[in-house]
């Protein structure tokens, strides 16, 4: 006859065997997924290498010169003037880099500007001038960001850009 303790041990052994099998099965699925992802990464790297080689062929100076001569009448290309080039520091800021105005100062200046715009709007409407909304719009206008001044000789030929190469 089986004792209760024996039945409990049989149940525990069956449960551990089931848990072990599920863990092993999940691990095998993860290994397959890792192999699949490694194959995808290798394919992407090979594609990048192929595209770099294609770009090198497409941007060869001899090829570009032949294309310019062939399509010169249609494109009417001109050499780039040295004064037409700018450095990255001279470009205006992105909208995401524009500083957020201080709310307390904006409320105080908006209150004064609202009074001034209301006064000028009543004067303009009394004169019959069109565009009375323009005074209100200028009261809410924010300063336009300006590009940083170009340094004398510092970093003249260095442009900060992203790179595809790692």
């Amino acid at each position: 006859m089986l004792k209760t303790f024996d039945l409990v041990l049989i149940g525990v052994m069956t449960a551990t065997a089931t848990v072990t099998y599920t863990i092993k099965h999940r691990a095998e699925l993860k290994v397959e997924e890792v192999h699949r992802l490694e194959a995808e990464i290798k394919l992407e790297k090979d594609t990048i290498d192929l595209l770099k080689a294609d770009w090198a062929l497409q941007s060869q100076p001899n090829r570009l010169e032949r294309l310019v001569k062939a399509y010169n009448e249609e494109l009417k290309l001109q050499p780039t003037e040295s004064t037409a080039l700018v450095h990255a520091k001279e470009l205006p800021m992105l909208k995401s880099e524009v500083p957020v105005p201080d709310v307390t100062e904006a409320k105080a200046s908006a209150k004064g500007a609202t009074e001034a715009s209301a006064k000028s709007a009543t004067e303009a409407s009394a004169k019959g001038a069109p565009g009375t909304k323009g005074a209100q719009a200028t009261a809410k206008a924010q300063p336009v960001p300006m590009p940083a001044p170009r340094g004398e000789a510092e970093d003249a030929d260095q442009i900060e850009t992203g790179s595809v190469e790692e």
Side-chain angles (χ1 to χ4, degrees), residues 37-75:
L37 289 174
E38 286 175 347
E40 285 182 22
I41 290 171
K42 184 179 182 323
L43 178 68
E44 291 296 324
K45 286 183 178 180
D46 290 345
T47 304
I48 289 171
D49 289 341
L50 181 67
L51 290 172
K52 283 181 181 178
D54 186 44
W55 177 254
L57 288 173
Q58 296 292 329
S59 62
Q60 286 181 343
N62 293 337
R63 179 183 174 277
L64 294 175
E65 188 176 340
R66 282 194 321 264
L67 290 173
V68 166
K69 287 178 183 177
Y71 297 105
N72 192 27
E73 290 184 23
E74 292 177 34
L75 298 176

Side-chain angles (χ1 to χ4, degrees), residues 132-148:
T132 55
K133 292 184 180 178
Q136 293 172 351
T138 56
K140 295 179 183 178
Q142 295 182 3
V144 177
M146 297 302 291

Side-chain angles (χ1 to χ4, degrees), residues 86-89 150-159:
V86 296
H87 293 285
K89 294 177 183 177
R150 182 185 277 190
E152 293 283 328
E154 66 179 60
D155 300 329
D157 293 333
Q158 294 180 356
I159 298 176

Side-chain angles (χ1 to χ4, degrees), residues 19-32:
V19 168
T20 305
Y21 175 74
T22 33
I23 290 173
K24 178 185 176 234
H25 183 65
R26 287 182 186 167
E28 288 174 350
L29 291 176
K30 292 295 182 184
V31 167
E32 288 176 10

